[in-house]
Amino acid sequence: PGAGSEGGACCVLRLARWAERHGLPAPQPAEEHVAFLEREHARYAHKLLRAWRRLSDASRGRAASPTAAQQQPGALAALPPLSADERECAERLWRVVGGALPRAEDLKAPPLLERVIDALHGTAASEPPAVSTQGAEMPRVGPNII
């Protein structure tokens, strides 16, 4: 996975952080746009982490929650399916959060949020974001929801 999305776009949050760290002009999106993107990254990360925990618990034969405990035997198929990219991203996120499911609000805290964004995009903050070149195929960036 790279830093671009399947459509050739780059996450403006990640691009701004990378540019600032390298002394380059950074994009200046409106505050409300930044707030929206941060919330969406945190929301999606929490969704992936919940799915990852449920899948992990189900593979160990444990119910992850009262809802899962009430499901029929063999309910693993009823859990949200994760693509290979989503599984890889969820594993990275799980390591970032220390192997425990944080509260959704905690994912929005600035120190953790930066690491969450990097994990969602499958890159370290020091790596440059992918830049679209005409005719070149952009690498995927984890799940293409953000």
Side-chain angles (χ1 to χ4, degrees), residues 60-142:
R60 291 186 194 104
R62 296 189 324 232
S65 66
T67 303
Q70 295 167 358
Q71 292 177 351
Q72 297 294 328
L76 182 58
L79 295 172
L82 293 178
S83 69
D85 285 341
E86 289 171 323
R87 282 180 178 266
E88 182 181 321
C89 187
E91 285 182 69
R92 278 193 308 270
L93 282 166
W94 197 248
R95 287 190 300 271
V96 164
V97 299
L101 182 65
R103 296 177 313 148
E105 308 83 61
D106 295 339
L107 291 172
K108 298 174 189 173
L112 181 55
L113 181 61
E114 290 179 15
R115 295 189 349 240
V116 163
I117 290 170
D118 287 339
L120 285 172
H121 291 286
T123 58
S126 59
E127 295 177 24
V131 177
S132 179
T133 56
Q134 191 169 4
E137 186 176 324
M138 294 301 294
R140 280 195 65 159
V141 72

Side-chain angles (χ1 to χ4, degrees), residues 11-88:
C11 173
V12 71
L13 299 177
R14 192 171 171 293
L15 176 61
R17 285 183 35 229
W18 180 85
E20 289 168 1
R21 286 185 175 139
H22 290 84
L24 299 170
Q28 305 279 323
E31 286 182 33
E32 58 271 8
H33 187 65
V34 170
F36 168 78
L37 288 172
E38 289 174 344
R39 284 191 311 272
E40 286 301 299
H41 279 82
R43 180 196 62 78
Y44 187 67
H46 196 253
K47 176 184 171 186
L48 271 182
L49 288 167
R50 285 190 333 263
W52 181 253
R53 184 188 65 185
R54 287 183 189 133
L55 289 171
S56 296
D57 287 348
S59 70
R60 291 186 194 104
R62 296 189 324 232
S65 66
T67 303
Q70 295 167 358
Q71 292 177 351
Q72 297 294 328
L76 182 58
L79 295 172
L82 293 178
S83 69
D85 285 341
E86 289 171 323
R87 282 180 178 266
E88 182 181 321

